[in-house]
Amino acid sequence: MFNSLSDRLTATFKNLRGKGRLTEADIDGTAREIRRALLDADVAVPVVRAFVAQVKERALGLEVSESLNPGQQVVKIVNEELVGILGGETRRLNLAKNPPTVIMLAGLQGAGKTTLAGKLAKHLKAEGHTPLLVACDLQRPNAVKQLQINGERAGVPVYAPHPGVSSEFDTATGDPVSVARDGIAEAKAKLHDIVIVDTAGRLGVDTEMMNQAANIRAAINPDEVLFVIDAMIGQDAVNTALAFQEGVNFTGVVLSKLDGDARGGAALSVASITGKPVMFASTGENLDDFEIFHPDRMASRILDMGDVMTLIEQAEKNWDKGEAERMAKKFADQEDFTLDDFLAQMAQIKKMGSMKKLLGMMPGSQISRQQLEQFDERQIDRVEAIVRSMTQHERVAPKIINGSRRARIAKGSGVAVSEVNQMLERFTEAQKMMKKMAAGGGMPGMPGAGKGAARKAKAKGKGKKQQQKFGNPAKAAQAELEAKNKKTTAPAGAAFGQGAQEDFDPSSLNLPAGFEKYLGK
C-alpha cells in the first residue's frame, strides 16, 4: 500500500546521509520532497501542510543543529510526526463493565464491513471472548448470507432473524433497528460478552442511510462505533469520514484493503482530520488477514525501517512450539537437516501468512522491492509438491536421487526436472548452512562466520599455556631438562625406547629362544 511513498521518502533521506551539518537550503529541499511525496500518495492537503510545517520547524531548531548526526535526527523527526498523524498510540477496544460489549460497524457499501465483521469476531474469539454477530444489513443482496458464511468460518454464531434480499430487484423489508435491539437481547440470554452489529451501507453518503445508522446507534447505545473505510478510496476519504463523524459520531476507524496497490493517503488523512484513532487494519481476503493498528509500527514500515515486532508476534502466534523444540534438539545433537525437516519448516512459515508480507516487514525491504514484487507465492507450493513426491528414503538421503529418480519426482509433482534440480541445490546449501550453525560457526558469509572452531582451539591452547605457568618454577625447569635429555638419549628408531648401544646384551631381557635374530644379533 505505501510502497511508492516509502520509496520517495527513503530516496529523499539518502541526500542527508553523511552530512555533518544541515543548511537551511538542505532542510527546505527535504521539506519540499516530503510535501511532493505525501501529495502524490493522496494525503489530504491540510494534513500535508500541517505535517511539513511541523517537520520543518523542528528541523530548523536546536534539535537538529546540535545533534551529532543531523540526517538521522531529521528521519527521527519525520518518524515521530508520522506516528502523530496516524493516531499517536495504539488504541484498544473499550470493553463494557457489564457485558455484553456492543460494537457497531458503519461505512459505505463495498468498504468491507461484512468481511471485517467476521475477521473481528475471529480475532476476539482467539482472545478468549464469546462474540455474537448480528445481521442488520437487510438491503444489500445476500449480505445476511455472506455474514452467516463468515460467522461459520470464524466459528462464531450469527443472529439473523430476517433473510434480507437475494437480488437487487427485491424490495428491502424488515426493520434493522428491531433486529439490532433483539440481537442484544439474544446475546444477554446466551451469555455472549461481545456483540458485533453489521449495518447497511450505500455507494455514497445519503440521508436515508445515515438516518438508519443513527437510529440503530440510538437503539443499542454501542460501546464502540467503528467506521470501516476502504484504504484505496483516495482524497474522498476525508469527506466520507467527516460525514459519518457527523452522522453517527464513530469512536474509531478500521482500514480495509490495506494490501492493495493504491497510494494509501486515506490512512494518513482520516485519523488526523477526524481526531479518531485507527484501531484495526484488514490486510487480505482471509479471515486471518487482520491486525491491530499500531501507529509507530506503520510509520516504521513507511520509512522502510521494518516492523519486526509484528513479525515476532505473528511467529509466536503461529509457530508450533513442539516443532521448534524438536529442531532445537536436532541442532544441539548436530543431526543432519533432512528434507522432512525442510518440509516442516515450510509448513510453519506458511502458517504465518503471505511471504511477501513477511519479507516486507523486514528493515530495508525497499532495497529488494523489485525482487519482492516478482516473488511468486505459488513457488512454495511447488517446492512442497516436489518434496512430497519423494520416497521416505530419498527425503532422508537426498544424495541417492539420480537422474531417473529426478525425472520420476518431476513427473509426480507436475514440474520440470530443472525445478527439481534447483530445489535440491538450494536444499544442499541450506543443509550446509545448518551444519555450520550447529557446529557453532555462525551464519555463512556473515562477519565472524567459520571462526567458532578457531576460537575454541585458541581458547584451548590458551588454557594449556596458562596451565604451564602454574606450579614451582624450579620443578618446571627440572622437568623440561629431563625431557630434553630423554629426547637426546633415545634416538628415533631405538627399540623399546632404549638407545642403540654397542654393549647391549639381548639375553638380559629374558627373551624366548631364537628371538635374537629379530634384534639383528
Side-chain angles (χ1 to χ4, degrees), residues 227 237-247 250 273-274:
F227 172 53
V238 174
N239 297 329
T240 305
L242 290 174
F244 272 90
Q245 185 180 27
E246 183 181 354
F250 57 84
I273 292 290
T274 64

Side-chain angles (χ1 to χ4, degrees), residues 98-282:
N98 298 318
T101 300
V102 181
I103 302 172
M104 174 181 167
L105 303 182
L108 295 178
Q109 183 175 313
K113 292 191 303 299
T114 305
T115 302
L116 188 121
K119 293 181 177 183
L120 179 59
K122 186 173 183 180
H123 169 75
L124 292 172
K125 182 183 178 183
E127 291 188 341
H129 296 285
T130 55
L132 173 70
L133 293 168
V134 179
C136 292
D137 186 356
L138 308 180
Q139 297 173 340
R140 182 170 63 87
N142 294 317
V144 175
K145 184 66 176 176
Q146 182 187 356
L147 187 66
Q148 289 174 330
I149 293 173
N150 286 337
E152 183 180 351
R153 290 169 60 197
V156 174
V158 179
Y159 180 73
H162 197 285
V165 296
S166 57
S167 72
E168 59 183 1
F169 302 105
D170 295 343
T171 303
T173 59
D175 184 9
V177 179
S178 299
V179 172
R181 191 184 295 113
D182 294 342
I184 305 299
E186 176 76 6
K188 291 180 179 179
K190 298 290 181 66
L191 301 179
H192 293 279
D193 66 341
I194 291 180
V195 181
I196 302 172
V197 180
D198 181 29
T199 63
R202 296 285 194 282
L203 294 176
V205 176
D206 64 11
T207 306
E208 182 183 356
M209 175 196 65
M210 207 60 72
N211 288 339
Q212 184 186 104
N215 292 335
I216 292 175
R217 176 179 178 125
I220 63 177
N221 190 24
D223 299 283
E224 295 278 11
V225 179
L226 302 182
F227 172 53
V228 183
I229 186 168
D230 187 343
M232 302 170 69
I233 197 172
Q235 288 281 352
D236 196 46
V238 174
N239 297 329
T240 305
L242 290 174
F244 272 90
Q245 185 180 27
E246 183 181 354
V248 297
N249 190 24
F250 57 84
T251 59
V253 180
V254 180
L255 296 173
S256 64
K257 307 177 186 178
L258 205 61
D259 57 323
D261 56 359
R263 290 171 287 187
L268 301 177
S269 305
V270 172
S272 181
I273 292 290
T274 64
K276 306 295 184 181
V278 180
M279 296 176 61
F280 299 103
S282 176

